[in-house]
Amino acid sequence: MRRLLDVLRRLRRAKGPLRLRKTPAIPAGRRGLILVLALTSFAIAGDLQPASLATTRTDLNAKDQARVTAVSRPTTDFSKPEPFELMQGGAGTSRKDVSRDSFSQFSANISFEEEGTFKLGNALFRKNWVSSPSSTQASDGLGPLFNERACQNCHLKDGRGRPPQGDAGTTSMFLRLARDVSSAEEKAALADHRLLNLPDPVYGTQLQELAVPGLKGEGRMRVDYQERKVELTDSTVISLRKPTYAVDDLAYGPLDPRTTLSPRLTPPMIGLGLIEQIAPADILAHADPDDRDGDGISGKANIVRDGPSGELTLGRFGWKAQAASIRQQAADAFAGDIGISTPEEPKHWGDCTAAQEKCLATPNGVQARLGPAEAPAPVMDLVTFYSQNLAVPARRGLASPDVLAGKKVFYEIGCVACHTPKFVTRRDAPDKAQAFQLIWPYSDFLLHDMGPDLADGQAVGEATGNEWRTPPLWGIGLTETVNGDSFYLHDGRARSLVEAILWHGGEAQKARDRFAATGATERDALVKFLESL
């Protein structure tokens, strides 16, 4: 599969769009291979490849494919903005005035009726769940162990979370827990993608700091920082803070000695529906897991099991691309963060484990008249729709000379090798608001080795302990406006965009070093460009 994807990627880069028609631009041998690629189902681990892992786009005719390839090609002209660059979320881009609510606007191209659906989903996203039993029968089921009572309390203003700050708590950054394999059965389950990783035998998949009355929270995350001075080529000194993590006040005994702690900041919610509709072929075309072209960039896909169908599919959401769909990501968050069961994750006691007997004896919030889950299908429908239609804000100042100069630096030092500027979404997207849109997420949605400094040592599916999904950059310039602070990377260790860049290692080391070698004018321009996104 890797060899096949590499061949396909090389052909696309070398000769432009793949078309099933005769053209002098494609030698006869390659035309034959393209025909084979288009007509053959490929095998993954002995199974026929599902449509969700197709390596060619089946939603486009030859004319559309040519248009998509042309408009998606990286620019070489930095004298002016590119066509449509202002509208980085396509036709759904929000043109509202910049404010703290810039990440909370609905897609501009949904219907009036859909606006109502969006608002209902927003109400559920903000809803505080309560413990069972309760007189508010449609709102009980919290926990018994949990990190927050509402989705919005983690995704602050639909933006990113923040690391613990004094007594402010840790509700928008969590510690994921996972341990090494201990049996042949566990190894086989991981190899077959039936499990992403293995939970701590007592504390489960995530540290839960809060609990319903009568129970104790599992413990408290502790973060300690050490300042590290970095001198740039022009003698500018930047201070980076290196975090270390531990758990205090463990309530149910020690963690397994093999359990690793991985901090995860909640990411922004904007543009998720558009990301969901990027054709898998366009993401897989950037994959080069064995670095066959020798450029030092080895992006790879995280192949996961789709919850409802059980088919292998492309992971694209989460810090390690572990979720294939918005709905599955939402179901995982309901179960892990709030302790609410859904049809996708029918875990009425959330992340409670067999070792936590008192937790499992606590009443749950299932109401027979509403269905067999605490958040039944209609709730999931509304929350999913809301999450799919949070608009990406329009660019700002994109014609400024500083922004254009910074964009050129972004390209020249190699950031675009992972932060792919643009895609065109599927023409056959289920929701026409996300169909055939030119979007600018600045991510390839693949896994990359980011070096030992950012490593968490925790494997998730195909992702190793050194690998992270490239996060989208759209909206990053509004972080402080929306969230009132500027914390970046998976654990919020970076307090500025410059710090975030300087933490890059592994596959991004060359780009990071080129940034460190530029002068202050070029660095400032690059930051101006990022702030315009």
Side-chain angles (χ1 to χ4, degrees), residues 326-350:
I326 296 170
R327 194 181 187 98
Q328 186 61 51
Q329 181 82 338
D332 291 342
F334 267 124
D337 302 342
I338 312 178
I340 295 295
S341 62
T342 62
E344 291 75 18
E345 294 291 340
K347 300 175 180 178
H348 307 319
W349 291 272

Side-chain angles (χ1 to χ4, degrees), residues 401-417:
D402 285 344
V403 170
L404 290 170
K407 181 180 177 182
K408 184 177 181 182
V409 174
F410 187 84
Y411 275 65
E412 288 180 343
I413 68 175
C415 301
V416 292

Side-chain angles (χ1 to χ4, degrees), residues 306-498:
D306 174 66
S309 69
E311 286 190 341
L312 291 171
T313 190
L314 177 67
R316 61 180 80 195
F317 298 106
W319 282 105
K320 299 219 175 192
Q322 70 271 16
S325 69
I326 296 170
R327 194 181 187 98
Q328 186 61 51
Q329 181 82 338
D332 291 342
F334 267 124
D337 302 342
I338 312 178
I340 295 295
S341 62
T342 62
E344 291 75 18
E345 294 291 340
K347 300 175 180 178
H348 307 319
W349 291 272
D351 196 34
C352 295
T353 66
Q356 296 169 323
E357 296 180 1
K358 189 174 180 181
C359 182
L360 295 177
T362 303
N364 65 59
V366 174
Q367 307 293 327
R369 62 186 179 84
L370 299 177
E374 293 164 328
V379 171
M380 287 299 294
D381 291 343
L382 290 167
V383 170
T384 300
F385 185 84
Y386 173 75
S387 302
Q388 287 171 331
N389 286 284
L390 281 161
V392 179
R395 291 279 302 279
R396 301 154 310 285
L398 70 168
S400 161
D402 285 344
V403 170
L404 290 170
K407 181 180 177 182
K408 184 177 181 182
V409 174
F410 187 84
Y411 275 65
E412 288 180 343
I413 68 175
C415 301
V416 292
C418 299
H419 290 283
T420 303
K422 46 192 169 172
F423 291 91
V424 175
T425 60
R426 297 182 61 90
R427 184 179 276 284
D428 59 354
D431 188 334
K432 66 180 182 180
Q434 283 101 39
F436 211 51
Q437 299 293 312
L438 173 62
I439 61 173
W440 307 70
Y442 285 92
S443 171
D444 60 7
F445 304 99
L446 296 171
L447 299 169
H448 294 275
D449 184 337
M450 295 300 293
D453 281 337
L454 291 180
D456 66 346
Q458 193 171 106
V460 183
E462 297 282 350
T464 69
N466 277 34
E467 290 177 329
W468 300 94
R469 182 200 70 155
T470 307
L473 296 181
W474 52 13
I476 198 167
L478 292 174
T479 299
E480 187 167 3
T481 299
V482 171
N483 292 119
D485 50 50
S486 298
F487 297 113
Y488 305 101
L489 302 177
H490 67 279
D491 56 3
R493 70 176 68 187
R495 297 159 293 190
S496 70
L497 292 168
V498 169

Side-chain angles (χ1 to χ4, degrees), residues 145-146 203 208-211 215-219 249-252:
L145 300 170
F146 61 98
Y203 291 92
Q208 310 285 344
E209 297 200 0
L210 304 175
L215 288 179
K216 293 181 179 180
E218 293 180 322
D249 303 326
L250 283 166
Y252 300 92

Side-chain angles (χ1 to χ4, degrees), residues 41-81:
S41 293
F42 304 106
I44 298 179
D47 296 328
L48 288 179
Q49 174 177 301
S52 58
L53 288 175
T55 52
T56 55
R57 288 191 66 162
T58 58
D59 60 311
L60 303 177
N61 58 33
K63 182 178 179 181
D64 282 343
Q65 180 65 79
R67 291 172 59 199
V68 167
T69 301
V71 76
S72 300
R73 188 173 293 122
T75 188
T76 56
D77 181 3
F78 303 100
S79 65
K80 61 183 183 298

